[in-house]
């Protein structure tokens, strides 16, 4: 038995993302959604969102909303859905009964205790532990008698007993063959009447006209059995493409249970990532182009994506628990930083606004009279930032008088020179006299001042940067001074003594602690 390939020139491609709503949308699920979305967009097909919510005990409304919000934030707009699998349970049950009626499935009355005894005996005899198909050979009279007694039963699929195999050509792993003799008669409906995933998923795919199933490699083991169900229901199996798994540094599969919120899409949203930057990063976990390109616009990625670019090797997702600044793969931060640097400044301004509101440093004037200054300042400082959080943290001094000073400054030569407590207030007096506050005028005053002290300009310039911005590095200092403005620069330079005092008090408290 062989699954058939699709003619891309004739068939309308339809793919689906079918998550179980048992938690947030994690990066593994998001990557699956991205691959399906890209494939649909590339071939002008249909991307369907199907929520597989039949696990009543674990499925929650909050999880469903979290999945929808996550996809929406990533910009993965679906064309149909969301469909809810729970609404089609009766359809799944009818499909099971149809399989029984057509001779492709049967009722199995074996109890768990009976099956356990058979399993132990098979293990002791070093034989196959597959179900021995006892109930497959029951006569119609025997079946009727057991039903009349009210004996509960499951429904099992009849795997062909003759020589043969299920064969399919996976778009990633290539030709795969599974012998019939290696597939036991598997259960498709439980004794309580609830259909299993194998059946429900196949019935839903047939109803939704799914042409390609793009999912994780862990679904590969189910594929031969699902193909048998497709065929038995008279449907053409879809094309399968199984993606390699995403593992952590310990080679464990990324999961909600093992890794918690650190692998959720919401975590990245809340930590200042651009949605497209995360999409760009996640698509690279298992997919690559011949030229190893890593940065794509939306249109470029849609055009470049192909199932042939998916590799077979598992990808590694690198993250650093507990590090609020570099909490994830350096490549992810690099990609996010690239988009922060290169997108039109208006496109990132709204996200910066949200960060400022959360941080308590938003000024309504940034949407009004100070709009141009606000945008120009963002443009100036963004070149060294990795996430939106950096604007409210590392860039705080541009927008607030309440900003931290990097403690490393007191350990290095930046603020180690005791004379700076006298020099910087003197410099403040001179800078206060500047009429036209420009890059050129501030540079001239600072260099003349350093020359008069007979010290290298770098000593003064580095100290100014740290006192004025709290940082050890950043954009050109004279551009920084122009952006922050004369009044605030002068005030901060005059407050250098207070800065040294606070540092000593903090150091003493740290020693006592």
């Amino acid at each position: 038995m062989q699954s058939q390939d699709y003619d891309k020139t004739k068939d309308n491609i339809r793919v689906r993302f079918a998550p179980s709503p048992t938690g947030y949308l994690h990066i593994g699920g998001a990557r699956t959604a991205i691959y399906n979305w890209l494939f649909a967009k590339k071939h002008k097909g249909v991307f369907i969102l199907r929520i597989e919510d039949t696990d009543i005990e674990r499925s929650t409304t909050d999880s469903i909303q979290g999945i929808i919000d996550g996809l929406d934030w990533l910009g993965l707009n679906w064309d149909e859905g969301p469909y809810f699998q729970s609404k089609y349970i009766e359809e799944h049950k009818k499909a099971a009964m149809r399989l029984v009626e057509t001779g492709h499935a049967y009722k199995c009355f074996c109890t768990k205790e009976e099956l356990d005894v058979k399993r132990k005996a098979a293990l002791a005899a070093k034989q196959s532990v597959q179900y021995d198909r006892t109930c497959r050979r029951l006569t119609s009279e025997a079946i009727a008698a057991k039903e009349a007694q009210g004996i509960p039963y499951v429904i099992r699929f009849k795997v062909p007993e003759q020589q043969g195999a299920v064969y399919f050509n996976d778009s990633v792993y290539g030709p795969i063959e599974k012998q019939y003799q290696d597939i036991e008669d598997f259960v498709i409906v439980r004794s309580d009447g609830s259909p299993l995933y194998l059946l429900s998923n196949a019935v839903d795919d047939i109803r939704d006209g799914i042409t390609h199933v793009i999912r994780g490699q862990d679904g590969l083991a189910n594929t031969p059995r699902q193909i048998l169900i497709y065929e038995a229901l008279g449907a053409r199996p879809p094309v399968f493409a199984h993606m390699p798994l995403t593992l952590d540094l310990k080679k464990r599969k990324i999961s909600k249970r093992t890794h918690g919120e650190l692998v959720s899409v919401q975590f990245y949203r809340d930590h200042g990532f651009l949605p497209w930057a995360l999409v760009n990063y996640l698509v690279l976990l298992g997919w690559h182009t011949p030229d190893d390109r890593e940065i794509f616009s939306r249109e470029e990625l849609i055009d470049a994506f192909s199932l042939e670019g998916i590799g077979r090797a598992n990808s590694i997702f690198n993250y650093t628990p507990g590090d609020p600044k570099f909490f994830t793969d350096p490549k992810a931060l690099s990609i996010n930083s690239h988009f922060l640097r290169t997108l039109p400044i208006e496109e990132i301004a709204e996200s910066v606004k949200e960060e400022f509101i959360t941080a308590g440093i938003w000024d309504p004037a940034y949407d009004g009279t100070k709009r141009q200054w606000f945008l120009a300042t963002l443009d100036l400082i963004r070149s060294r930032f990795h996430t939106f959080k950096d604007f409210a943290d590392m860039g705080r001094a541009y927008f607030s008088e309440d900003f931290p000073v990097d403690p490393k400054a007191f350990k290095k030569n930046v603020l180690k020179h005791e004379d700076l407590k006298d020099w910087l207030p003197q410099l403040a007096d001179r800078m206060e006299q500047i009429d036209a506050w420009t890059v050129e005028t501030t540079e001239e005053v600072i260099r003349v001042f350093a020359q008069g002290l007979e010290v290298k300009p770098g000593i003064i310039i580095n100290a100014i940067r740290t006192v004025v911005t709290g940082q050890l590095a950043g954009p050109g200092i004279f551009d920084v001074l122009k952006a922050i403005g004369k009044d605030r620069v002068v005030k901060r330079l005059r407050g250098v003594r207070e800065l040294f005092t606070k540092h000593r008090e903090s150091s003493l408290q740290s020693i006592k602690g």
Side-chain angles (χ1 to χ4, degrees):
M1 188 175 294
Q2 178 174 336
S3 65
Q4 302 177 32
D5 292 330
Y6 279 71
D7 184 344
K8 296 177 182 178
T9 63
K10 297 179 180 179
D11 292 295
N12 179 29
I13 286 177
R14 293 171 64 85
V15 296
R16 45 70 168 178
F17 174 53
S20 298
T22 55
Y24 48 75
L25 177 64
H26 69 86
I27 59 101
R31 186 187 66 154
T32 300
I34 291 167
Y35 282 20
N36 278 278
W37 180 83
L38 286 170
F39 189 71
K41 295 299 178 185
K42 172 71 174 285
H43 298 287
K44 296 180 173 54
V46 176
F47 175 54
I48 298 170
L49 174 59
R50 183 200 303 154
I51 306 295
E52 298 194 335
D53 59 340
T54 50
D55 187 342
I56 299 175
E57 292 183 0
R58 298 179 62 205
S59 298
T60 67
T61 302
D62 287 344
S63 293
I64 293 172
Q65 192 59 51
I67 290 170
I68 291 174
D69 289 346
L71 293 174
D72 186 57
W73 179 74
L74 289 171
L76 306 181
N77 52 303
W78 52 92
D79 303 297
E80 292 183 16
Y83 300 140
F84 293 89
Q85 192 174 68
S86 59
K87 293 184 178 181
Y88 298 95
I89 290 179
E90 291 305 315
E91 181 183 329
H92 306 153
K93 292 179 179 179
K94 289 178 180 178
M97 294 312 299
R98 190 162 70 250
L99 290 173
V100 172
E101 293 165 2
T102 57
H104 290 98
Y106 60 94
K107 298 173 182 179
C108 176
F109 298 89
C110 296
T111 65
K112 181 180 183 300
E113 290 73 22
E114 291 171 338
L115 293 174
D116 286 342
V117 170
K118 292 179 179 181
R119 187 175 294 108
K120 290 178 181 178
L123 288 172
K126 296 184 179 180
Q127 297 175 348
S128 170
V129 295
Q130 289 185 357
Y131 176 59
D132 63 5
R133 297 172 172 171
T134 296
C135 291
R136 180 168 177 161
R137 299 177 178 85
L138 290 176
T139 65
S140 57
E141 291 78 13
I143 294 172
K146 289 180 179 292
E147 287 184 304
Q149 296 175 50
I151 299 176
Y153 61 84
V154 300
I155 296 179
R156 289 182 181 272
F157 188 90
K158 279 186 180 179
V159 178
E161 292 186 292
Q162 70 268 26
Q163 290 294 318
V166 178
Y167 170 85
F168 65 100
N169 189 28
D170 190 90
S171 294
V172 177
Y173 289 90
I176 294 178
E177 185 177 290
K178 183 77 170 179
Q179 296 296 317
Y180 292 149
Q181 64 184 17
D182 295 326
I183 307 174
E184 72 172 343
D185 286 0
F186 52 92
V187 177
I188 56 175
V189 177
R190 301 179 182 88
S191 59
D192 63 2
S194 60
L196 269 74
Y197 164 83
L198 281 171
L199 175 66
S200 298
N201 189 263
V203 173
D204 289 341
D205 282 348
I206 293 170
R207 183 193 61 249
D208 295 337
I210 301 303
T211 62
H212 293 71
V213 171
I214 306 170
R215 62 186 180 187
Q217 185 268 342
D218 48 352
L220 191 57
N222 286 327
T223 303
R225 292 181 290 174
Q226 287 184 305
I227 288 175
L228 288 172
I229 294 175
Y230 287 117
E231 297 282 5
L233 290 172
R236 180 172 63 169
V239 174
F240 287 91
H242 289 89
M243 306 177 301
L245 299 180
T246 301
L247 310 177
D248 65 12
L249 292 174
K250 295 181 180 180
K251 303 299 176 67
R252 299 173 300 180
K253 179 186 173 183
I254 292 295
S255 70
K256 306 168 189 175
R257 182 176 300 176
T258 304
H259 302 88
E261 67 168 6
L262 288 169
V263 296
S264 73
V265 168
Q266 181 178 347
F267 183 82
Y268 280 77
R269 182 191 68 191
D270 294 345
H271 280 73
F273 260 67
L274 283 152
W276 184 253
L278 186 57
V279 169
N280 197 142
Y281 166 68
L282 292 179
V283 79
L284 298 176
L285 294 177
W287 175 85
H288 65 277
T289 57
D291 59 0
D292 292 325
R293 183 179 176 185
E294 294 187 342
I295 301 295
F296 298 86
S297 69
R298 184 179 186 275
E299 293 71 22
E300 289 170 341
L301 189 55
I302 290 172
D303 183 63
F305 184 78
S306 69
L307 297 180
E308 290 73 24
I310 301 175
R312 299 182 183 182
N314 292 329
S315 57
I316 300 298
F317 175 71
N318 182 9
Y319 69 99
T320 309
D323 188 337
K325 187 175 181 182
F326 297 108
F327 55 87
T328 190
D329 194 328
K331 181 183 288 187
L333 288 166
S334 175
I335 291 173
N336 200 63
S337 178
H338 168 83
F339 285 107
L340 278 184
R341 292 194 311 271
T342 58
L343 283 175
I345 201 65
E346 284 281 7
E347 288 190 26
I348 69 171
E350 192 61 28
S351 293
V352 174
K353 176 181 177 179
E354 292 176 9
E355 289 293 339
F356 280 11
I357 291 174
T358 301
I361 58 174
W362 175 252
D363 184 344
Y366 298 156
D367 270 337
T369 57
K370 295 183 179 179
R371 184 65 178 178
Q372 292 306 311
W373 174 84
F374 173 66
L375 296 177
T377 303
L378 296 186
D379 194 32
L380 172 67
I381 65 179
R382 64 176 171 168
S383 63
R384 292 174 177 265
F385 293 170
H386 292 88
T387 73
F388 284 117
K389 291 290 182 186
D390 291 338
F391 285 93
D393 296 337
M394 297 168 63
R396 191 181 184 94
Y398 293 83
F399 308 95
S400 171
E401 291 305 304
D402 178 21
F403 61 91
V405 175
D406 191 332
K408 294 178 183 177
F410 296 92
K411 297 178 181 180
K412 298 183 177 182
N413 291 330
V414 179
L415 291 179
K416 206 169 182 180
H417 206 304
E418 285 290 327
D419 289 336
L420 287 170
K421 291 185 294 184
D422 297 319
W423 291 346
L424 295 186
Q426 294 172 19
L427 176 60
D429 292 339
R430 296 196 185 186
M431 299 191 81
E432 192 175 32
Q433 304 304 313
I434 297 176
D435 291 327
W437 187 261
T438 65
V439 168
E440 293 76 19
T441 56
T442 54
E443 179 177 6
E444 181 182 1
V445 168
I446 290 171
R447 292 194 181 280
V448 169
F449 182 74
Q451 185 177 7
L453 294 174
E454 297 183 349
V455 298
K456 295 180 179 179
I459 294 176
I460 302 298
I461 288 172
N462 290 335
I464 292 172
R465 180 186 298 282
T466 302
V467 170
V468 171
T469 71
Q471 300 296 313
L472 297 177
I477 185 60
F478 307 112
D479 291 312
V480 169
L481 297 178
K482 182 176 182 296
I484 291 178
K486 181 169 76 172
D487 292 344
R488 291 195 294 167
V489 169
V490 169
K491 179 181 177 181
R492 293 174 188 180
L493 291 177
R494 284 175 175 163
V496 67
R497 287 181 179 275
E498 182 181 355
L499 183 64
F500 273 84
T501 300
K502 285 183 178 179
H503 170 67
R504 287 199 183 94
E505 291 175 351
S506 176
S507 299
L508 288 173
Q509 290 177 359
S510 177
I511 293 173
K512 291 179 181 178

